[in-house]
Amino acid sequence: MAKKKLKVRASGKKGYAVIKAILFHPMETGLRKSKETGQVIPAHYIQEVFVKHNDAEVIKVNMGIAVSKNPYLSVEVDGAEKGDAITIGWLDNLGESASADVKVS
Amino acid sequence: MNNQRRSFLRNSMAGSLVAVSVAAGLLTPSRVLAAWPQAAFDSTDPTEAMKGLLGSEGFEETSKIKLRTPDIAENGSVVPVTVKTKITGVETISVFAMENARPLAISADMSAKARPVLATRIKLGKTSKVIAVVRANGKLYGATKTVKVTLGGCGG
């Protein structure tokens, strides 16, 4: 099975859902030097994260190099009820992307 | 956007990451031009970053924004930051780490369906003011916290 790129959970509350996600990513800043070679390690980090509720985009998160490795993200969506579809997708500076769909539980 | 411009853009971007992302369904055509704010994220100066991203470097400090950060971060690589606010009409929530090489850490665009809450973890290179700026109804509000860092988090 392919390595998991993100882990998402959407919990239904009264009138809204709390979405918590971990996006698996090195979030390399491009400002570090390799200890062995002395070369700068190229930047490789998530830049954009999309959160959709029943296919409509509700939140767009823009990230920079200061977000920690394996970014943790928690957001909340009004009107999201049990059974609704939540999608989170990310896109990084090298064009890599991944997404996951979950139902509000 | 007229169709000629759209097809010109599509053709010129063929093979680029944008084309791949459109194909992957992650970017719908209407979002293709809503680009990641590169200048603001690349900026080394916090007021310049704030101005570039939000249109102004001035904001009203308010207790209506709850900014939660640890007082002391033992590991600067992973500093939890939570922003919550009672302000209505929130358009964006942004977090700046004033002493970082690139001060703008994260910025979330909130639609009307989004609750004005954002939690994440950021890297702090050293002891630093962390500022959460909320844009609501075109106005900027902010809250500031100082986080002491014992072990800097940007590596290298």
Side-chain angles (χ1 to χ4, degrees):
Chain A
M1 191 164 91
K3 197 163 93 172
K4 227 170 173 183
K5 300 252 184 134
L6 66 170
K7 197 161 80 173
V8 189
R9 195 181 327 156
S11 311
K13 308 288 178 193
K14 251 194 179 151
Y16 66 100
V18 177
I19 300 157
K20 296 189 190 206
I22 296 185
L23 317 176
F24 297 106
H25 202 283
M27 298 302 279
E28 200 54 76
T29 64
L31 302 175
R32 287 204 311 149
K33 283 206 178 121
S34 158
K35 292 201 168 91
E36 297 91 25
T37 68
Q39 303 290 345
V40 169
I41 302 168
H44 186 202
Y45 59 101
I46 291 173
Q47 293 185 325
E48 300 176 86
V49 181
F50 307 90
V51 181
K52 292 186 182 185
H53 168 226
N54 287 340
D55 268 334
E57 188 174 307
V58 290
I59 299 170
K60 161 95 184 306
V61 184
N62 291 309
M63 295 184 168
I65 59 172
V67 176
S68 301
K69 176 177 170 175
N70 296 333
Y72 167 75
L73 201 58
S74 182
V75 292
E76 298 178 4
V77 178
D78 264 333
E81 307 176 338
K82 279 191 168 51
D84 284 359
I86 299 289
T87 301
I88 299 209
W90 59 254
L91 184 60
D92 74 17
N93 68 314
L94 300 184
E96 291 168 23
S97 63
S99 68
D101 304 304
V102 297
K103 294 237 185 296
V104 178
S105 60
Chain B
M1 177 166 69
N2 70 49
N3 287 323
Q4 277 188 321
R5 191 163 124 93
R6 173 175 287 165
S7 54
F8 168 73
L9 284 172
R10 282 280 180 93
N11 292 335
S12 67
M13 285 188 208
S16 75
L17 84 89
V18 173
V20 169
S21 308
V22 171
L26 276 180
L27 293 178
T28 59
S30 63
R31 296 209 51 79
V32 168
L33 298 184
W36 180 73
Q38 169 146 16
F41 277 106
D42 282 351
S43 176
T44 56
D45 175 73
T47 47
E48 183 191 77
M50 211 174 285
K51 202 162 180 196
L53 182 71
L54 300 167
S56 164
E57 72 258 28
F59 56 84
E60 181 188 312
E61 281 269 355
T62 173
S63 57
K64 287 194 197 150
I65 297 174
K66 300 271 175 280
L67 170 59
R68 267 212 335 255
T69 58
D71 292 327
I72 301 176
E74 274 157 29
N75 182 358
S77 311
V78 195
V79 180
V81 175
T82 302
V83 185
K84 279 187 189 192
T85 181
K86 287 192 245 190
I87 299 170
T88 55
V90 171
E91 297 149 16
T92 63
I93 298 179
S94 313
V95 178
F96 296 84
M98 302 305 271
E99 300 296 320
N100 274 13
R102 308 281 183 277
L104 174 57
I106 190 170
S107 183
D109 295 332
M110 303 300 201
S111 72
K113 291 279 180 75
R115 288 167 73 89
V117 173
L118 179 69
T120 188
R121 296 189 296 227
I122 64 173
K123 299 170 188 140
L124 290 181
K126 54 180 176 165
T127 294
S128 166
K129 278 201 178 129
V130 173
I131 303 185
V133 181
V134 168
R135 185 171 62 204
N137 305 308
K139 272 192 70 178
L140 297 184
Y141 305 87
T144 306
K145 273 268 173 82
T146 298
V147 181
K148 286 202 179 89
V149 175
T150 52
L151 240 152
C154 291

